[in-house]
Amino acid sequence: MNRSSFLVVFITVLLLPISTVPARTRQGKHVHHVNKNNGAGKLKLKFYQKSCPLADAIVRNITWSRVKADRTLAAKILRLQFHDCFVRGCDASILLDSVNGEAVEKNAIPNHSLSGYNVIDEIKSELEEKCPETVSCADNLALAARDAVSYQFGKTLWKVFTGRRDGRVSSASEVLSKIPGGASNFTTLQKQFSDNGLDVPDLVALSGAHTIGVARCVVISRRLFNFTGKGDTDPSLDPGYVKELKEKCANPPHNPTTTVVEFDPKSSLSFDSHYFVALSKHQGLLQSDATLLTNPTSASYVKAFQNFEDFMAQFGESMKKMGNIGVLTQNQGEIRKNCRVVN
Ligand code: HEM
């Protein structure tokens, strides 16, 4: 090999590993601009290892003891994180209380049925006692959501990267356009998720959160009793399931804003893949659930996720992506002392 051909080989070898880097960087930058995952790359595992080694254990112990006492809390805390991350990113803006009568996120209509805030407060008090002004409310919520779902399994189900900081803004007016409505069609859902850097497998897997929890009858009233304004029912629903739901939601005697129905009947306290089985039988509670069958790609995931291991693998991955949305890191935002008020 002469000197110049040696140089060509040498330079090519040098560039080989580097040539994979721009592709990743481009992808990262794409996420940065389009998907608002601003500080996502800066989240880490064991972020609090030195500053608050007890953080993870504090969150887990309190969450597990609360969920043990009230199993319905798992769904509530998981949903809290979703509603936090989709508005202004995962910055704990959902936890802020109104000041001077200004309507904040939690006052907006899609958030009226959220609860579980007091569990996050209890965890925060303990964190402040052990490690003052160190662990953000946004991380507190992300860890608690994971632990709430994990309680049933006695082990943590997915890894939560930490290092989020807390936002200082919360506004009710931002919620309606960002939080998907229960009557959404596939196109709308796909758009709202992709605005947050989430793709179709993420949409389907994360909708699988509806394997636990309940919805108020008011959310499905139209679908059951007046679908096209002619006193009819959504024809895509399984007729046996319709009958059951109509009995549970009939008004009178039931008050539609307080009466609830399980998303995944008889298994609404168990995080499993039964949601996808029910969905395939046209027993998805919301139109936004049912619509996942109307697109060939999402329908193929509905089928695949009937296998629990496949569902769980994607769910963990998608929760990590959801937990990255628009995060504040390093010197952005603050570490709130009380999750309900800015410092
Ligand atoms: C795909 C778009 C989604 C739509 C349209 C949607 C809509 C809804 C609606 C309408 C309810 C009932 C609220 C009420 O009774 O007022 C609900 C409950 C719930 N949602 Fe979703 N959701 C979506 C995605 C998600 C995601 C991504 C998660 C979490 C990762 C989630 C977790 C939950 C849980 C756990 C409940 C039950 C809460 C409880 O039992 O208190 N949802 N959702």
Side-chain angles (χ1 to χ4, degrees):
M1 192 184 289
N2 65 26
R3 200 179 125 94
S4 61
S5 50
F6 171 79
L7 264 180
V8 169
V9 172
F10 181 70
I11 290 169
T12 311
V13 168
L14 263 186
L15 287 177
L16 261 182
I18 297 172
S19 70
T20 61
V21 174
R24 287 205 188 128
T25 313
R26 267 202 306 279
Q27 209 179 23
K29 281 200 173 138
H30 178 74
V31 167
H32 179 95
H33 287 303
V34 177
N35 303 326
K36 300 180 279 176
N37 285 341
N38 303 351
K42 292 169 193 145
L43 296 183
K44 298 202 266 189
L45 283 176
K46 302 187 181 161
F47 181 82
Y48 297 111
Q49 195 168 32
K50 289 208 179 95
S51 59
C52 187
L54 285 175
D56 288 35
I58 290 172
V59 178
R60 191 183 58 238
N61 290 344
I62 297 179
T63 307
W64 281 14
S65 81
R66 289 297 152 252
V67 172
K68 183 179 180 193
D70 175 2
R71 294 287 300 275
T72 69
L73 276 173
K76 297 178 195 325
I77 298 171
L78 177 61
R79 185 165 176 240
L80 265 187
Q81 197 200 356
F82 164 49
H83 284 224
D84 181 37
C85 295
F86 265 54
V87 183
R88 288 192 167 264
C90 312
D91 67 342
S93 51
I94 189 65
L95 303 178
L96 289 170
D97 279 346
S98 164
V99 180
N100 301 329
E102 291 278 333
V104 286
E105 287 177 28
K106 60 171 68 162
N107 303 131
I109 289 172
N111 291 334
H112 283 176
S113 55
L114 291 180
S115 59
Y117 299 107
N118 51 350
V119 178
I120 305 302
D121 290 338
E122 191 185 337
I123 297 168
K124 181 62 172 171
S125 316
E126 183 72 11
L127 287 170
E128 285 303 296
E129 203 171 290
K130 295 288 182 327
C131 323
E133 296 170 51
T134 305
V135 183
S136 67
C137 296
D139 280 344
N140 174 349
L141 180 53
L143 289 164
R146 187 267 314 268
D147 294 339
V149 173
S150 300
Y151 168 75
Q152 173 193 340
F153 300 87
K155 59 172 188 187
T156 48
L157 286 178
W158 62 88
K159 290 194 164 74
V160 173
F161 285 63
T162 42
R164 295 173 190 78
R165 292 173 61 91
D166 300 323
R168 298 175 48 83
V169 177
S170 180
S171 169
S173 64
E174 294 178 334
V175 174
L176 207 54
S177 64
K178 303 268 167 56
I179 295 294
S184 306
N185 62 22
F186 182 79
T187 316
T188 308
L189 291 180
Q190 189 179 21
K191 165 89 174 69
Q192 280 177 315
F193 274 64
S194 84
D195 283 350
N196 286 307
L198 301 170
D199 56 21
V200 172
D202 296 319
L203 164 64
V204 180
L206 290 171
S207 296
H210 292 166
T211 183
I212 52 173
V214 294
R216 294 165 309 142
C217 287
V218 65
V219 176
I220 52 163
S221 291
R222 217 173 68 96
R223 203 174 181 214
L224 291 182
F225 301 111
N226 206 10
F227 190 57
T228 62
K230 294 179 192 149
D232 53 344
T233 303
D234 181 344
S236 74
L237 265 174
D238 167 69
Y241 187 48
V242 167
K243 192 165 170 274
E244 236 174 81
L245 290 174
K246 278 187 169 174
E247 275 165 22
K248 287 186 179 143
C249 288
N251 171 34
H254 307 294
N255 176 342
T257 50
T258 52
T259 309
V260 295
V261 285
E262 295 167 290
F263 269 103
D264 184 9
K266 300 192 188 76
S267 129
S268 69
L269 294 178
S270 165
F271 199 89
D272 52 33
S273 53
H274 192 254
Y275 164 84
F276 295 104
V277 178
L279 196 51
S280 308
K281 295 188 201 153
H282 302 280
Q283 298 177 353
L285 190 64
L286 307 177
Q287 279 164 268
S288 62
D289 297 312
T291 199
L292 300 177
L293 293 176
T294 62
N295 169 276
T297 312
S298 60
S300 73
Y301 286 103
V302 170
K303 195 166 176 216
F305 295 158
Q306 292 179 36
N307 175 298
F308 182 66
E309 278 70 36
D310 292 346
F311 165 46
M312 238 7 269
Q314 181 64 53
F315 190 77
E317 198 51 43
S318 300
M319 283 300 288
K320 185 178 153 200
K321 278 169 83 174
M322 190 178 92
N324 278 342
I325 300 171
V327 291
L328 303 173
T329 55
Q330 295 179 342
N331 59 359
Q332 298 170 310
E334 61 183 19
I335 304 293
R336 256 176 244 156
K337 293 180 201 145
N338 173 341
C339 293
R340 291 176 182 267
V341 287
V342 296
N343 292 342

